[in-house]
Amino acid sequence: VPFHCDGAFHQVPSYLIFHCIEAPCANGGGETLFCDTEKLLKDSTKTERELWERVTLRYKTEKKAHYGGVIEQPLVQTHPITGHSTLRFAEPVETELNPVSLEILGIDSSEKKSVLKLSRRIYDDKYQYEHRWQSGDILIADNHRLIHGRNPFHAESPRHLRRIQVL
């Protein structure tokens, strides 16, 4: 599952609470990935930050399973509780179930490649935490500061998580 923040096409939750009922087998995959966008933004250059602050992202998906529509939101946003700057970014999703397209607005086409490089930086170990689930784990994630995704897991490996979204 590509990196994303929850609630883009609906209500934006402040926190995500995950509870692992059954963890994947050893080497079974299914790790949840988190990227600290506040730290990534703090480490960015002045030029990158000035560019990112001009960017608006347009996401579009047809309602097939859970949600749908078109939304536009700034790439750089203010955390509603801490007041710190964060990145609200989601990678495009190329699946049949719920594909999500991404369009970059507000900058020249020559500058768009610089924004797309952000996709590589969110996977940098400096900003990423990979959670390997153990049965019984409870994990609380700040949905405004963090974006999250998931590594693939083997079909024969169990993985049962429950999630609550706190508005």
Side-chain angles (χ1 to χ4, degrees), residues 12 54 56-57 65 76 90-91 131 155-156 159:
V12 178
R54 295 190 344 248
T56 296
L57 301 173
V76 178
E91 296 178 287
H131 188 77
E156 66 277 358
R159 183 179 184 271

Side-chain angles (χ1 to χ4, degrees), residues 64-112:
K64 290 187 175 183
H66 308 292
Y67 50 79
V70 177
I71 62 156
E72 290 184 12
Q73 62 182 14
L75 172 59
V76 178
Q77 295 187 23
T78 301
H79 192 293
I81 298 169
T82 67
H84 298 156
S85 294
T86 63
L87 295 172
R88 296 291 287 172
F89 179 73
E91 296 178 287
V93 178
E94 298 176 11
T95 65
E96 289 184 26
L97 180 61
N98 256 98
V100 178
S101 66
L102 167 64
E103 188 178 353
I104 300 169
L105 309 171
I107 58 174
D108 297 331
S109 58
S110 62
E111 298 173 300
K112 291 182 182 182

Side-chain angles (χ1 to χ4, degrees):
V1 175
F3 271 106
H4 63 283
C5 41
D6 281 6
F9 290 92
H10 194 55
Q11 279 188 290
V12 178
S14 292
Y15 297 97
L16 309 173
I17 303 172
F18 298 87
H19 179 214
C20 181
I21 305 301
E22 186 175 11
C25 303
N27 300 316
E31 301 86 4
T32 300
L33 309 173
F34 295 92
C35 174
D36 185 342
T37 69
E38 183 180 319
K39 181 169 177 35
L40 192 157
L41 192 56
K42 281 181 183 176
D43 288 353
S44 65
T45 67
K46 181 180 178 187
T47 303
E48 287 173 323
R49 178 143 183 163
E50 287 173 352
L51 173 66
W52 294 346
E53 287 176 345
R54 295 190 344 248
V55 170
T56 296
L57 301 173
R58 178 184 292 150
Y59 297 100
K60 183 177 176 181
T61 187
E62 180 183 341
K63 184 172 182 166
K64 290 187 175 183
H66 308 292
Y67 50 79
V70 177
I71 62 156
E72 290 184 12
Q73 62 182 14
L75 172 59
V76 178
Q77 295 187 23
T78 301
H79 192 293
I81 298 169
T82 67
H84 298 156
S85 294
T86 63
L87 295 172
R88 296 291 287 172
F89 179 73
E91 296 178 287
V93 178
E94 298 176 11
T95 65
E96 289 184 26
L97 180 61
N98 256 98
V100 178
S101 66
L102 167 64
E103 188 178 353
I104 300 169
L105 309 171
I107 58 174
D108 297 331
S109 58
S110 62
E111 298 173 300
K112 291 182 182 182
K113 282 186 179 182
S114 295
V115 174
L116 292 174
K117 288 180 185 175
L118 181 58
S119 286
R120 287 194 303 248
R121 293 194 47 204
I122 62 178
Y123 287 93
D124 186 321
D125 289 341
K126 187 174 182 179
Y127 309 110
Q128 183 178 282
Y129 167 68
E130 179 180 277
H131 188 77
R132 297 177 193 271
W133 291 102
Q134 300 293 316
S135 295
D137 280 357
I138 294 176
L139 187 147
I140 301 172
D142 181 337
N143 188 51
H144 294 285
R145 179 176 179 153
L146 306 173
I147 56 176
H148 64 280
R150 176 183 49 78
N151 284 333
F153 58 95
H154 305 294
E156 66 277 358
S157 182
R159 183 179 184 271
H160 182 182
L161 300 180
R162 290 188 178 150
R163 183 177 70 180
I164 296 172
Q165 297 182 335
V166 179
L167 301 176

